Amino acid sequence: MNDAAPMDLNAVAAEIRACRACPLHRSARQAVPGDGTGESGLFFLGEAPGYHEDVQGKPFVGAAGQFLDELLAGIGLDRRKVFITNVVRHRPPENRDPLPDEVAACDVWLRRHLEVLRPRVIVTLGRHAMGKFFPGESISRIHGKPRLKDGLVIFPVYHPAAALHQPALRDALFADFAALALYLARPPAPKPEAEEAKRPAEQITLFG
Ligand code: URA
């Protein structure tokens, strides 16, 4: 849980809209800072705005967003109470992958949002978001389980867009969200930060 004031989120959003730190703002219609109050303690991190997000200025409002809504509703989460943003806040041309320099330039906004919201769990959607916390890892290896990184609980899952046309990934995503629900139903565990420092690359099981 957090006590972020909407004012704080609005202030960050205004700064993001004024951001010119990478070239993506030139081709995008507008910035897509993020959506939701985050009062549930859940923070969802996607890849980049697509066409519909660019038009509406909101993350995950296209087909992948509808599937994300279904996944959230399936475990009783109200989309308005989670926070949703992306690794880059402007749409890349032709929906290409964000470039490393663009991701690095946008890092400041991830840090600002995390400072304001102090989420209980960060759910990374897809490999680009996972790579912010576990560069070089394979999503097929670590999806569906919570992991600690720098005192943050990261819960990597596949990207909803990838699952739209791949039934196996769709099933994996439903299973990952069920595992997320199970994790959230438990009282927050004390974070074994000393252990984490000793075993940074190893999976830490938080399911007790
Ligand atoms: N895919 C993303 O990663 N983010 C969005 O906002 C929409 C689709």
Side-chain angles (χ1 to χ4, degrees):
M1 288 286 203
N2 67 81
D3 49 9
M7 284 272 296
D8 296 335
L9 284 177
N10 288 341
V12 180
E15 288 180 60
I16 292 173
R17 290 193 187 97
C19 182
R20 301 289 179 262
C22 84
L24 289 181
H25 71 273
R26 292 196 204 118
S27 49
R29 284 182 175 79
Q30 60 182 318
V32 181
D35 188 33
T37 65
E39 67 194 86
S40 62
L42 285 172
F43 188 105
F44 286 80
L45 186 65
E47 177 183 328
Y51 172 80
H52 295 283
E53 291 76 22
D54 186 48
V55 168
Q56 295 187 37
K58 278 176 93 174
F60 283 95
V61 290
Q66 281 168 23
F67 185 34
L68 178 61
D69 290 350
E70 188 183 332
L71 289 161
L72 291 170
I75 60 167
L77 285 173
D78 183 342
R79 172 174 170 143
R80 291 166 303 182
K81 294 185 179 171
V82 305
F83 187 75
I84 308 177
T85 188
N86 286 298
V87 162
V88 295
R89 278 78 177 170
H90 286 94
R91 180 193 184 198
E94 313 298 328
N95 293 347
R96 65 156 168 75
D97 283 358
L99 302 174
D101 282 357
E102 294 159 356
V103 172
C106 228
D107 196 47
V108 58
W109 305 123
L110 177 59
R111 275 186 275 119
R112 294 273 274 112
H113 273 143
L114 293 180
E115 276 163 22
V116 169
L117 289 164
R118 291 181 291 112
R120 178 178 169 200
V121 180
I122 300 169
V123 181
T124 58
L125 302 164
R127 62 190 170 86
H128 289 276
M130 176 204 69
K132 291 295 307 175
F133 299 97
F134 307 113
E137 255 299 357
S138 155
I139 193 159
S140 60
R141 200 177 86 80
I142 69 167
H143 72 96
K145 289 170 226 147
R147 263 189 161 202
L148 283 177
K149 179 71 187 280
D150 300 332
L152 300 169
V153 177
I154 316 296
F155 201 104
V157 303
Y158 287 110
H159 196 289
L164 284 178
H165 307 293
Q166 297 184 61
L169 289 193
R170 198 177 155 83
D171 291 348
L173 257 173
F174 278 114
D176 287 354
F177 270 69
L180 175 64
L182 206 60
Y183 174 66
L184 294 172
R186 300 201 147 206
K191 292 176 185 168
E193 289 177 21
E195 283 303 303
E196 185 209 5
K198 276 189 252 157
R199 306 181 284 137
E202 209 176 305
Q203 189 89 28
I204 296 172
T205 299
L206 299 174
F207 285 98

